C-alpha cells in the first residue's frame, strides 16, 4: 500500500491515489462532469456551433448535384437525375484539359513551394543577430498580408511588355501573361514569394523547442553547421513536415481560384483553365447550380481520396498520421 506524505496542509498524493481520483472522475455521470467544467464547454460550444452551421448544414445542398435543381421547386421537389451531371462533365470537350491543368499546377506548386519554408526556417534559425533575424522574418512575412488582387496587379505591372521590370532586365517586350507556357511558372513563383515566409513560421516554432544542450554537445563533438542541421534540426522538423505534406495533398485539387481568375487571359487558357474557375463560370455566371455542384463534388471527392492515401503512406513511412 502506498504511503502519503503528511508534510503540512499541501501533502502530496501518491501515484496510486492520483490514479484512483482520475478513475472516480471518469466514472462520474457526463452531466456532472460538464457542470464541473462548464466554462471550458461554453468556450468549446462557439466553434462547434459555427462549424455545424457553416460546414455541416450546407452539406444538405449537395443533393442538387443529383437533381435538376429548380429554385422555385426547392431541393426535394426538383427532378432526380442521378449521375447525369457527372456524365455531362466528363463528356465536356475541356474536361480532361481542366483536370490536367489543375493537377499539374497543384503538383508543381507542391513540389517547388513545399521545401522552401523548411529551407528558410533552417537558414533563419542559424542567424545569431536577433535584430537582423527579426528584420529578415518581417520582410519574408510581409507579402502574405497583401491581398491576392493587389498581388495580381503587381504581377501584371512587373510582366508588362512596355516598362515591366522583367522585360527591362531581359531587354525584351514580351507579354508573358499571353504565353500559355509561362502561366504555371508565374503562378508558382508568385505563390512562393507570397506564402513561403509565412509558411516557415510553424517550422521556426518547432525549432525553438530544440534543447540548446544538443547544439552545445554537437559543437563539443566537432559537428559542423551542416551536420547539426542534418542530425538535429531535420529530425525535429520531420513530423511537422509530414503533417503539412498530408494536409497539402488533401488540397491538391484546390488550385486558388482568385489568382487564376485574375491572371487568366484568352491566350493562356490552354494551361490556366482549371476546375475552380469552371465551377465559378458555370454556377455563378451561367446559374447552372446542379452542374457546378456536381463538378465541385467531384473535385472534393478526389481531394478526400488523396488525403486518405497520402495519410496512409505517411503513417507507414514515418509514424505520423493526420486522420
Amino acid at each position: 500500500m502506498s504511503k502519503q506524505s503528511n508534510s503540512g496542509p499541501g501533502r502530496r498524493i501518491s501515484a496510486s491515489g492520483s490514479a484512483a481520483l482520475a478513475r472516480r472522475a471518469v466514472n462520474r455521470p457526463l452531466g456532472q462532469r460538464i457542470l464541473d467544467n462548464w466554462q471550458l464547454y461554453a468556450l468549446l460550444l462557439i466553434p462547434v456551433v459555427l462549424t455545424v452551421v457553416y460546414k455541416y448544414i450546407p452539406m444538405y445542398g449537395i443533393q442538387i448535384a443529383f437533381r435538376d435543381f429548380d429554385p422555385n421547386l426547392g431541393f426535394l421537389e426538383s427532378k432526380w437525375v442521378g449521375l447525369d451531371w457527372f456524365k455531362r462533365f466528363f463528356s465536356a470537350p475541356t474536361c480532361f484539359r481542366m483536370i490536367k491543368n489543375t493537377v499539374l499546377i497543384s503538383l508543381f506548386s507542391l513540389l517547388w513551394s513545399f521545401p522552401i519554408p523548411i529551407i528558410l526556417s533552417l537558414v533563419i534559425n542559424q542567424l545569431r543577430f536577433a535584430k537582423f533575424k527579426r528584420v529578415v522574418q518581417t520582410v519574408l512575412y510581409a507579402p502574405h498580408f497583401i491581398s491576392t488582387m493587389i498581388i495580381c496587379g503587381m504581377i501584371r505591372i512587373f510582366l508588362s511588355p512596355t516598362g515591366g521590370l522583367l522585360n527591362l532586365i531581359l531587354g525584351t517586350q514580351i507579354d508573358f501573361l499571353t504565353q500559355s507556357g509561362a502561366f504555371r511558372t508565374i503562378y508558382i513563383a508568385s505563390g512562393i514569394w507570397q506564402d513561403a515566409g509565412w509558411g516557415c513560421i510553424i517550422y521556426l516554432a518547432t525549432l525553438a523547442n530544440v534543447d540548446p544542450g544538443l547544439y552545445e554537445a554537437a559543437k563539443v563533438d566537432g559537428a559542423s553547421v551542416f551536420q547539426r542541421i542534418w542530425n538535429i534540426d531535420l529530425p525535429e522538423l520531420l513530423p511537422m513536415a509530414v503533417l503539412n505534406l498530408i494536409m497539402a495533398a488533401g488540397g491538391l485539387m484546390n488550385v486558388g481560384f482568385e489568382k487564376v481568375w485574375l491572371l487568366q487571359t484568352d491566350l493562356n487558357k490552354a494551361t490556366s483553365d482549371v476546375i475552380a474557375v469552371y465551377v465559378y463560370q458555370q454556377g455563378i455566371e451561367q446559374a447552372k447550380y446542379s452542374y457546378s455542384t456536381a463538378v465541385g463534388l467531384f473535385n472534393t471527392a478526389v481531394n478526400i481520396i488523396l488525403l486518405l492515401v497520402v495519410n496512409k503512406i505517411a503513417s507507414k513511412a514515418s509514424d505520423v498520421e493526420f486522420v
Side-chain angles (χ1 to χ4, degrees):
M1 186 173 180
S2 60
K3 296 181 180 180
Q4 296 182 358
S5 173
N6 295 320
S7 56
R11 65 181 181 180
R12 293 169 297 175
I13 301 175
S14 65
S16 59
S18 299
L21 288 174
R23 283 195 297 270
R24 283 199 295 269
V26 171
N27 291 331
R28 283 183 300 169
L30 178 61
Q32 185 61 46
R33 281 181 291 173
I34 293 175
L35 286 175
D36 290 343
N37 302 281
W38 67 269
Q39 299 95 334
L40 297 177
Y41 284 99
L43 289 174
L44 181 64
L45 186 63
I46 297 171
V48 168
V49 169
L50 290 176
T51 301
V52 171
V53 171
Y54 291 105
K55 299 293 184 180
Y56 285 94
I57 293 178
M59 288 184 183
Y60 178 74
I62 289 177
Q63 63 177 294
I64 70 175
F66 306 95
R67 296 179 181 273
D68 186 6
F69 179 66
D70 185 341
N72 295 319
L73 298 176
F75 290 131
L76 299 179
E77 298 299 325
S78 296
K79 181 183 177 183
W80 183 269
V81 295
L83 299 176
D84 286 0
W85 298 118
F86 294 93
K87 294 176 182 177
R88 177 177 171 182
F89 171 61
F90 288 118
S91 62
T94 58
C95 171
F96 293 103
R97 186 180 76 176
M98 287 186 294
I99 295 175
K100 175 187 173 183
N101 290 338
T102 302
V103 171
L104 287 180
I105 291 176
S106 295
L107 202 57
F108 289 148
S109 294
L110 184 62
L111 178 66
W112 289 102
S113 63
F114 182 76
I116 299 297
I118 299 175
I119 295 170
L120 282 176
S121 65
L122 293 171
V123 172
I124 294 173
N125 191 56
Q126 294 301 317
L127 298 178
R128 292 294 171 257
F129 297 101
K131 186 176 290 187
F132 179 66
K133 188 175 181 179
R134 287 195 295 269
V135 171
V136 170
Q137 287 176 290
T138 303
V139 171
L140 291 173
Y141 299 164
H144 177 78
F145 298 99
I146 303 175
S147 72
T148 303
M149 183 172 290
I150 295 175
I151 289 288
C152 292
M154 294 170 66
I155 292 172
R156 287 185 175 276
I157 293 172
F158 293 153
L159 301 181
S160 172
T162 56
L165 180 62
L166 186 58
N167 277 299
L168 289 176
I169 294 173
L170 298 176
T172 57
Q173 289 186 333
I174 302 172
D175 190 352
F176 291 98
L177 287 176
T178 63
Q179 307 291 319
S180 59
F183 180 82
R184 292 185 190 127
T185 302
I186 294 169
Y187 182 93
I188 295 167
S190 60
I192 293 173
W193 171 63
Q194 186 176 11
D195 294 322
W198 183 257
C200 75
I201 289 178
I202 193 168
Y203 296 115
L204 286 172
T206 303
L207 290 173
N209 292 323
V210 177
D211 184 1
L214 293 175
Y215 295 118
E216 297 301 326
K219 288 180 182 178
V220 171
D221 290 339
S224 65
V225 173
F226 292 106
Q227 287 174 325
R228 294 197 296 271
I229 290 174
W230 183 262
N231 294 290
I232 299 175
D233 292 342
L234 285 178
E236 188 72 21
L237 292 178
L238 181 61
M240 186 57 65
V242 172
L243 191 61
N244 284 338
L245 178 62
I246 294 171
M247 292 190 290
L252 190 66
M253 298 291 285
N254 291 337
V255 174
F257 159 75
E258 297 91 347
K259 189 188 290 186
V260 175
W261 177 252
L262 292 169
L263 295 179
Q264 190 178 71
T265 64
D266 290 335
L267 297 176
N268 66 21
K269 276 194 172 184
T271 53
S272 67
D273 222 1
V274 296
I275 292 176
V277 172
Y278 186 68
V279 169
Y280 172 81
Q281 291 171 335
Q282 298 296 316
I284 303 300
E285 292 185 347
Q286 301 184 29
K288 298 178 181 178
Y289 304 118
S290 293
Y291 181 54
S292 62
T293 303
V295 178
L297 184 57
F298 160 75
N299 201 49
T300 302
V302 173
N303 279 332
I304 293 173
I305 293 170
L306 288 172
L307 174 64
L308 295 175
V309 169
V310 175
N311 178 73
K312 193 68 176 178
I313 295 172
S315 66
K316 291 183 178 296
S318 61
D319 296 327
V320 177
E321 284 186 287
F322 181 64
V323 291

